[in-house]
């Protein structure tokens, strides 16, 4: 029985390389494109953040202009209630004694409601 | 059940005792948040001295400012009231358009720039009050004057 030998002229070369086509742009170009898109995006984000800061400052200043007005109105209401409280206390107890050991104005914890509904 | 009429009582059960007679009356501003926001920079432009006075009084009388700064507070309210009245007298249509727009847009100022420009122009022409946002970075257009508001939903030019 003859020996098993390679064919005459040797074997065909073995294809060990993949034979896939390289699709798309060059990797360097893709990288460049991504970098470009990211730069544009961050530029837009930066602009947006700066605009937001400006808008926040605008809102802040509009509040700053209004706060004295709103505070004045609320203070007047508080003082009105405070004086009414004191007058009531004077009327009921004959004297008004502060329960606090300081002369600071204390926002009342409890509101006194009149016994009769006022219409 | 009971024969009582169901009513909300938070509007009637309030202490209505007026201030003592020796404290002068003052008409409250009587405007809601949108008109106040719309007019805030004009109030700031005309009433800054009074506002500063009031805030200084409150700072100097910490803890007692409520009672001691009533006079300054009245001035602040009268001044703001005068601004609102003047704007109402001269620019009612523009004012109304702007604050209804603010009301409709969650009080976001940048949604209502076209109306705001009209109001600002009218107020400047008639009352000489200008909207200026302090501390704008040098070399930049103030944010309320930019023709393109990038956060606005409806971006149409000036």
């Amino acid at each position: 029985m003859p020996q098993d030998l390679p064919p005459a002229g040797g074997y065909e070369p073995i294809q060990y390389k993949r034979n896939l086509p390289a699709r798309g742009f060059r990797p360097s170009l893709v990288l460049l494109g991504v970098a470009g898109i990211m730069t544009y995006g961050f530029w837009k984000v930066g602009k947006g953040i700066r605009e937001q800061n400006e808008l926040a400052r605008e809102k802040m200043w509009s509040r700053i202009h209004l706060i004295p007005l709103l505070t004045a109105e609320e203070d007047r209401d508080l003082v009105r209630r405070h004086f009414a409280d004191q007058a009531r206390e004077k009327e009921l107890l004959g004297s008004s004694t502060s329960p606090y050991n300081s002369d600071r104005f204390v926002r009342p914890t409890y509101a006194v409601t009149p016994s009769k509904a006022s219409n | 059940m009971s024969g009582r009429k169901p009513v909300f009582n938070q509007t009637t059960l309030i202490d209505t005792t007026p201030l003592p007679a020796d404290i002068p009356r003052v008409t409250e501003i009587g405007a809601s948040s949108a008109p106040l926001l719309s007019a805030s920079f004009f109030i700031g432009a005309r009433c800054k001295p009074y506002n500063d006075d009031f805030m200084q009084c409150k700072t100097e009388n910490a803890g007692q400012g409520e009672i001691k700064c009533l006079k300054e507070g009245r001035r602040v309210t009268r001044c703001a009231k005068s601004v609102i009245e003047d704007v109402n007298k001269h620019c009612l249509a523009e004012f109304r358009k702007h604050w209804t727009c603010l009301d409709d847009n969650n009080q976001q100022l940048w949604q209502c720039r076209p109306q705001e420009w009209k109001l600002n122009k009218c107020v400047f022409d008639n009352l000489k009050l200008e909207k200026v946002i302090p501390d704008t970075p040098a070399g930049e257009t103030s944010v309320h004057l930019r023709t393109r508001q990038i956060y606005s939903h409806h971006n149409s030019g000036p």
Side-chain angles (χ1 to χ4, degrees), chain A residues 48 51-52 54-55 57-58 61-62 65 68-69 73 75-76 79-80 83 88 103-105 113 118-119, chain B residues 12 15 17 26 28 37 40-41 44 51 54 58 63-64 66 73 77 113 131 134-137 146 151:
Chain A
E51 176 119 346
Q52 272 185 350
E54 290 297 297
L55 290 168
R57 212 154 45 72
E58 184 188 21
W61 273 102
S62 89
H65 292 320
L69 168 66
E73 182 170 346
D75 280 2
R76 229 171 290 129
V79 167
R80 175 179 71 81
F83 284 156
R88 209 174 293 118
D103 52 356
R104 289 177 72 92
F105 178 83
T113 51
S118 57
N119 290 306
Chain B
T12 49
D15 195 353
T17 321
V26 60
E28 296 296 354
L37 174 63
S40 59
F41 280 90
N51 287 355
F54 177 66
K58 291 276 286 185
Q64 293 187 320
E66 281 83 352
T77 305
R113 293 301 181 198
K131 170 169 177 175
D135 308 328
T136 306
R146 292 176 193 172
Y151 286 102

Side-chain angles (χ1 to χ4, degrees), chain A residues 44-94:
Chain A
K44 287 294 264 191
V45 168
K47 281 185 79 130
I49 290 172
R50 294 203 172 176
E51 176 119 346
Q52 272 185 350
N53 293 346
E54 290 297 297
L55 290 168
R57 212 154 45 72
E58 184 188 21
K59 187 175 159 191
M60 199 72 86
W61 273 102
S62 89
R63 289 299 295 189
I64 288 171
H65 292 320
L66 289 180
I67 275 173
L69 168 66
L70 302 173
T71 317
E73 182 170 346
E74 178 164 7
D75 280 2
R76 229 171 290 129
D77 190 49
L78 281 175
V79 167
R80 175 179 71 81
R81 284 158 193 269
H82 175 68
F83 284 156
D85 266 351
Q86 281 195 336
R88 209 174 293 118
E89 194 176 332
K90 192 112 186 161
E91 192 189 325
L92 294 173
L93 304 178

Side-chain angles (χ1 to χ4, degrees), chain B residues 56-70:
Chain B
Q56 190 186 7
C57 173
K58 291 276 286 185
T59 315
E60 282 170 2
N61 298 296
Q64 293 187 320
E66 281 83 352
I67 296 172
K68 290 198 173 162
C69 302
L70 282 174

Side-chain angles (χ1 to χ4, degrees), chain A residues 16-38:
Chain A
Y16 58 91
K17 257 185 177 170
R18 297 205 308 164
N19 189 19
L20 293 173
R23 298 197 307 167
F25 298 107
R26 285 207 313 269
S28 57
L29 277 181
V30 172
L31 201 66
L32 212 69
V34 168
I37 290 167
M38 295 285 287

Side-chain angles (χ1 to χ4, degrees), chain B residues 11-150:
Chain B
T11 51
T12 49
L13 280 185
I14 51 170
D15 195 353
T16 49
T17 321
L19 272 172
D22 56 320
I23 296 173
R25 301 285 102 170
V26 60
T27 329
E28 296 296 354
I29 190 82
S32 64
S33 58
L36 283 181
L37 174 63
S38 173
S40 59
F41 280 90
F42 309 131
I43 291 175
R46 183 182 280 179
C47 308
K48 194 162 190 311
Y50 300 106
N51 287 355
D52 288 352
D53 235 28
F54 177 66
M55 290 324 256
Q56 190 186 7
C57 173
K58 291 276 286 185
T59 315
E60 282 170 2
N61 298 296
Q64 293 187 320
E66 281 83 352
I67 296 172
K68 290 198 173 162
C69 302
L70 282 174
K71 190 175 71 169
E72 283 80 359
R74 283 195 296 275
R75 285 182 183 153
V76 165
T77 305
R78 280 201 200 100
C79 178
K81 186 87 184 156
S82 81
V83 173
I84 297 273
E85 271 167 8
D86 281 356
V87 172
N88 270 341
K89 201 159 77 188
H90 295 287
C91 307
L92 185 60
E94 288 88 349
F95 186 43
R96 227 172 238 174
K97 266 190 195 132
H98 186 220
W99 70 254
T100 32
C101 173
L102 286 175
D103 249 352
D104 293 342
N105 285 291
N106 211 4
Q107 306 209 349
Q108 294 172 329
L109 286 164
W110 60 90
Q111 309 279 18
C112 301
R113 293 301 181 198
Q115 290 90 331
E116 189 190 319
W117 294 327
K118 287 196 194 94
L119 173 65
N120 286 358
K121 187 174 177 309
C122 175
V123 170
F124 184 71
D125 290 346
N126 289 303
L127 308 175
K128 301 281 168 267
L129 297 176
E130 199 181 2
K131 170 169 177 175
V132 180
I133 307 175
D135 308 328
T136 306
E140 261 186 54
T141 329
S142 205
V143 73
H144 66 290
L145 298 173
R146 292 176 193 172
T147 47
R148 196 179 138 65
Q149 297 287 322
I150 58 182

